[in-house]
Amino acid sequence: MPDILKILCVLSGLPESIIAAACARSGQRVLHVDSRNYYGGNWASFSFSGLLSWIKENQQKTDIDECEDWRKLILENEEVISLSKKDKTIQYVEDFCFGDQDSAEDVEEAGALPKLPVFGASGAEGAAQASEKECPPAEGAFLGAEEAGGAESASATEGNDTELTSENDSSQNTALDESSLELGKTEAAPSEISAQEPKKVTYCQIVREGRRFNIDLVSKLLYSRGPLIDLLIKSNVSRYAEFKNATRILAFRDGKVEQVPCSRADVFNSRQLTMVEKRMLMKFLTFCLDYEQHPDEYQGSFLSTRKLTSSLQHFILHSIAMVSETDCSTLKGLQATKKFLQCLGRYGNTPFLFPLYGQGEIPQCFCRLCAVFGGIYCLRHPVQCLVVDKESGRCKAVVDHFGQRISANYFIVEDSYLSESVCTNVCYRQISRAVLITDQSVLNTDSEQQVSILMMPPVDVGKPAVCVIELCSSTMTCMKDTYLVHLTCPSTKTAREDLEPVVQKLFNLNTEKETENEELEKPRVLWAVYFNMRDSSGIDRNSYVGLPSNVYVCSGPDPALGNDCAVKQAETIFQEMFPTEEFCPPPPNPEDIIYDEDEIAPEETGFSNSPETKPESSSEESSSGGTTAVKKEDNEK
């Protein structure tokens, strides 16, 4: 451990990882500890076997024996704030298999590491988690910046079969009346096997190919113009990840799933809308781009005053603004619509990007940046308590599970680590989550490789809208011939009670033998898990009892589609600690770095304090694979 620490972060979620990277980049000494054996906390991604272990751990939740030896380290002028030993952020975990589960008992995961001898078991616990993911070569959209008429492509090599799906994006940048809205149009190449019946996937195959799955605990997309994208580009963290453009936005209307036209070209080519509706829609979207200039026109029930048809109102509410009609004001709806329109055309014909290998890659990317600039990481390293000086009221150190005192100037703690005595006045909300593995898409088209987002309207009065994100195998989150479906909404009951009605509308939950004729058209669910996750976002710092001024609390994931809350929270905390420092400044140009011969580290060393990184494909592989390298324009900095 370093002698002088400036920052100590407890847990490696997205806000903590961003703060750690920003502090390390500004020259601070950073130590990042996490009691778990994987990065990301509730932002993590798991292989299928890793997720099964996580489910088992959260269903059983055994008590942890507490050692009292560390109390001898506390001086008379000090007091302690005990930290929670159990993770209480996950509740009501229920998993279901809709195939023959018994036949998979003796099936081993392909590519899994051999079991270590007993003496090494404790150090390698959980080694099958996402850090050991298999990494077939993949190409996606590189973030570094903006290219008018973005393109997206991906290739996936799975087993001995190579599947190459390329989608050629042709851009049409046209002016939307007087606006400067740029819109792109994507045309997917037809698939040769689209006419064939979906291949039957068994539970044995899912277990065997479990390392092909990267299943997120929290499901989010990245707005192509938003705080996280800007931060990834500015800090050059984008070089650690690849992204795929969300290819389509869907709507559920009259019991059917249909694709929503996004761009200007898509609107006028759509057969879902009449010519009158097309003109009404374009006029409305043009107004939304500069609604601030006309405050008198959006008072009261705004959509009804615009004389929009019911189908247009449905598309605007649930597929463009992506808000609920019951709990959203007119102003928020207009803001959401404008944000959607401004994000169109930057990297593709939809406003959203998805990171290859899952959302859990984003916290790890910032962890790598922190490690590059000297940050130290310790997993499987629980912290017992905070040590507070009675006179100054500031936190001086923490005591870890080894009984070692670690001193620092500032402490970053995730909300889940705080004890009940500190959180007495805190009122938490919950998020309902479901993850499904299905055998086909909710809307089959010529192209199998689709990343889709669907906002399901409330199924009942008082129920929230449900966000559905469907991922294909080219996102490196599931095996070939399967789809990974995430469902998210604010909780009203348990996750299964909130989300199962939506699942029943979209999917077939019966086993293959029990399937009825009317259910044959729906995608079949092969496996599913439901769970509730704590939503600690938006909690005022004053709600925590007895928290020292130099201890900062980060929240867990929120139910929003984007990551704006985490990025803003990280920047706010960083500026409170270091008001004169720049938040995640651009990295230095390698050509401008002057090395001192005495300070050059030997290259022969085989040790690294950075998170495990995946092999990166060479530039030749990237160019041959049709990768889109997006370069930042000079006028966007």
Side-chain angles (χ1 to χ4, degrees):
M1 299 292 178
D3 296 332
I4 302 176
L5 270 178
K6 198 75 174 181
I7 308 294
L8 190 145
C9 292
V10 182
L11 202 130
S12 53
L14 181 57
E16 299 91 342
S17 300
I18 294 175
I19 294 170
C23 292
R25 179 65 187 86
S26 63
Q28 312 299 331
R29 298 298 302 273
V30 178
L31 172 64
H32 211 147
V33 298
D34 198 330
S35 62
R36 299 174 172 90
N37 54 19
Y38 54 86
Y39 291 94
N42 284 346
W43 302 80
S45 301
F46 292 95
S47 65
F48 187 71
S49 61
L51 185 64
L52 293 180
S53 300
W54 179 87
I55 290 171
K56 184 177 180 181
E57 176 185 338
N58 281 278
Q59 285 176 337
Q60 296 178 352
K61 289 197 174 181
T62 56
D63 292 333
I64 300 175
D65 296 332
E66 183 177 353
C67 178
E68 298 292 334
D69 293 342
W70 59 268
R71 295 189 180 275
K72 300 176 183 178
L73 302 173
I74 308 303
L75 304 178
E76 292 183 0
N77 63 335
E78 297 173 341
E79 59 184 2
V80 299
I81 299 177
S82 296
L83 298 180
S84 177
K85 308 300 185 298
K86 295 169 61 177
D87 181 12
K88 299 179 181 179
T89 59
I90 306 296
Q91 295 178 319
Y92 308 115
V93 182
E94 301 178 76
D95 61 312
F96 303 91
C97 177
F98 297 91
D100 185 5
Q101 197 166 6
D102 295 334
S103 61
E105 288 183 356
D106 299 327
V107 176
E108 293 186 1
E109 189 177 65
L113 295 176
K115 293 182 179 180
L116 297 177
V118 175
F119 65 85
S122 60
E125 181 180 345
Q129 200 271 331
S131 61
E132 296 294 339
K133 290 180 291 192
E134 187 173 307
C135 306
E139 292 81 29
F142 287 98
L143 277 190
E146 185 170 6
E147 188 174 74
E152 62 83 20
S153 62
S155 68
T157 303
E158 302 184 359
N160 296 324
D161 299 329
T162 301
E163 175 189 56
L164 179 62
T165 303
S166 64
E167 296 171 357
N168 299 322
D169 294 340
S170 61
S171 299
Q172 288 187 323
N173 296 330
T174 55
L176 179 59
D177 292 342
E178 298 297 327
S179 70
S180 59
L181 178 64
E182 294 183 352
L183 302 165
K185 179 181 178 181
T186 303
E187 293 183 1
S191 173
E192 296 179 358
I193 61 173
S194 60
Q196 300 179 4
E197 294 182 1
K199 295 181 181 179
K200 295 181 180 179
V201 179
T202 64
Y203 184 73
C204 290
Q205 289 175 281
I206 294 175
V207 173
R208 187 180 297 110
E209 299 294 327
R211 286 161 59 83
R212 303 242 179 237
F213 289 88
N214 289 294
I215 304 172
D216 296 323
L217 293 184
V218 58
S219 176
K220 291 180 177 291
L221 295 174
L222 283 73
Y223 281 94
S224 61
R225 295 183 191 273
L228 183 54
I229 290 290
D230 294 341
L231 183 61
L232 289 169
I233 294 172
K234 174 187 174 183
S235 62
N236 205 19
V237 171
S238 57
R239 70 182 183 270
Y240 297 126
E242 294 179 74
F243 299 83
K244 183 177 177 68
N245 182 240
T247 54
R248 61 185 183 179
I249 296 174
L250 306 178
F252 186 83
R253 191 164 62 102
D254 299 331
K256 294 182 180 180
V257 177
E258 52 190 3
Q259 187 167 346
V260 177
C262 291
S263 68
R264 181 188 179 95
D266 288 343
V267 169
F268 283 105
N269 290 331
S270 173
R271 296 182 180 179
Q272 301 166 257
L273 305 176
T274 66
M275 185 58 66
V276 175
E277 286 179 321
K278 292 176 183 180
R279 291 180 179 274
M280 293 170 65
L281 179 60
M282 294 308 299
K283 185 177 180 180
F284 175 81
L285 297 181
T286 303
F287 171 82
C288 290
L289 283 170
D290 60 350
Y291 72 90
E292 297 98 335
Q293 308 300 323
H294 313 282
D296 298 335
E297 295 189 29
Y298 55 86
Q299 304 299 327
S301 182
F302 178 63
L303 285 181
S304 59
T305 61
R306 304 298 293 189
K307 299 180 181 179
L308 300 173
T309 63
S310 59
S311 59
L312 286 181
Q313 291 188 34
H314 183 91
F315 286 155
I316 292 169
L317 273 172
H318 303 294
S319 302
I320 296 179
M322 296 187 179
V323 294
S324 176
E325 187 175 6
T326 55
D327 58 359
C328 178
S329 65
T330 297
L331 184 59
K332 288 183 178 180
L334 287 171
Q335 291 171 345
T337 303
K338 182 177 180 178
K339 182 177 182 180
F340 181 97
L341 296 173
Q342 289 177 329
C343 293
L344 283 173
R346 188 177 192 186
Y347 297 117
N349 72 324
T350 71
F352 305 110
L353 294 175
F354 181 80
L356 296 187
Y357 300 99
Q359 172 73 27
E361 286 296 293
I362 303 299
Q364 292 193 61
C365 289
F366 285 99
C367 290
R368 290 168 196 151
L369 177 65
C370 177
V372 165
F373 286 93
I376 299 174
Y377 282 81
C378 297
L379 297 181
R380 295 181 288 271
H381 200 102
V383 175
Q384 301 283 355
C385 67
L386 303 173
V387 181
V388 181
D389 182 72
K390 291 182 179 179
E391 183 177 348
S392 64
R394 290 175 62 86
C395 185
K396 299 170 58 178
V398 299
V399 178
D400 64 14
H401 70 304
F402 294 116
Q404 179 183 9
R405 281 178 65 121
I406 306 173
S407 300
N409 292 354
Y410 299 98
F411 300 84
I412 314 298
V413 182
E414 209 268 346
D415 175 271
S416 63
Y417 275 80
L418 299 178
S419 62
E420 293 182 0
S421 59
V422 176
C423 303
T424 303
N425 300 330
V426 178
C427 183
Y428 292 112
R429 299 177 299 274
Q430 296 289 324
I431 304 170
S432 291
R433 289 277 292 115
V435 180
L436 316 176
I437 299 175
T438 65
D439 64 346
Q440 56 181 314
S441 174
V442 291
L443 181 63
N444 287 319
T445 58
D446 291 338
S447 175
E448 289 185 334
Q449 300 303 314
Q450 300 278 4
V451 178
S452 310
I453 176 172
L454 165 64
M455 191 65 68
M456 285 288 291
V459 295
D460 241 334
V461 178
K463 291 282 188 178
V466 176
C467 178
V468 182
I469 297 176
E470 183 185 72
L471 306 173
C472 58
S473 59
S474 64
T475 61
M476 308 301 166
T477 58
C478 58
M479 61 178 280
K480 186 179 178 181
D481 299 321
T482 64
Y483 289 83
L484 192 65
V485 182
H486 293 273
L487 295 91
T488 309
C489 74
S491 298
T492 58
K493 297 181 181 178
T494 67
R496 185 182 177 189
E497 291 173 312
D498 283 337
L499 299 174
E500 195 170 54
V502 175
V503 174
Q504 290 172 343
K505 284 180 176 291
L506 296 173
F507 303 97
N508 172 16
L509 289 175
N510 298 321
T511 61
E512 190 173 357
K513 296 179 180 179
E514 298 173 346
T515 300
E516 300 178 359
N517 292 333
E518 60 268 18
E519 295 288 318
L520 288 175
E521 296 181 359
K522 294 181 179 180
R524 190 165 65 90
V525 177
L526 307 173
W527 182 87
V529 62
Y530 299 88
F531 60 91
N532 288 82
M533 178 183 291
R534 177 189 292 177
D535 175 14
S536 55
S537 62
I539 295 176
D540 185 60
R541 176 186 172 84
N542 296 326
S543 300
Y544 299 105
V545 178
L547 203 63
S549 59
N550 61 333
V551 176
Y552 298 90
V553 180
C554 289
S555 63
D558 63 308
L561 181 61
N563 298 275
D564 295 6
C565 180
V567 177
K568 291 176 181 177
Q569 184 182 52
E571 184 172 7
T572 300
I573 291 175
F574 177 83
Q575 295 297 344
E576 288 181 8
M577 293 188 296
F578 308 106
T580 60
E581 296 285 347
E582 184 181 359
F583 180 64
C584 276
N589 189 337
E591 298 177 357
D592 298 335
I593 299 176
I594 301 176
Y595 294 98
D596 186 345
E597 293 182 0
D598 298 333
E599 296 179 357
I600 298 178
E603 297 181 358
E604 292 79 9
T605 178
F607 298 95
S608 172
N609 58 357
S610 63
E612 296 183 11
T613 58
K614 298 184 178 62
E616 296 182 358
S617 55
S618 65
S619 58
E620 291 83 359
E621 292 173 341
S622 298
S623 59
S624 63
T627 299
T628 301
V630 189
K631 296 184 179 180
K632 190 173 180 67
E633 293 183 351
D634 294 335
N635 61 352
E636 288 206 17
K637 293 182 180 179

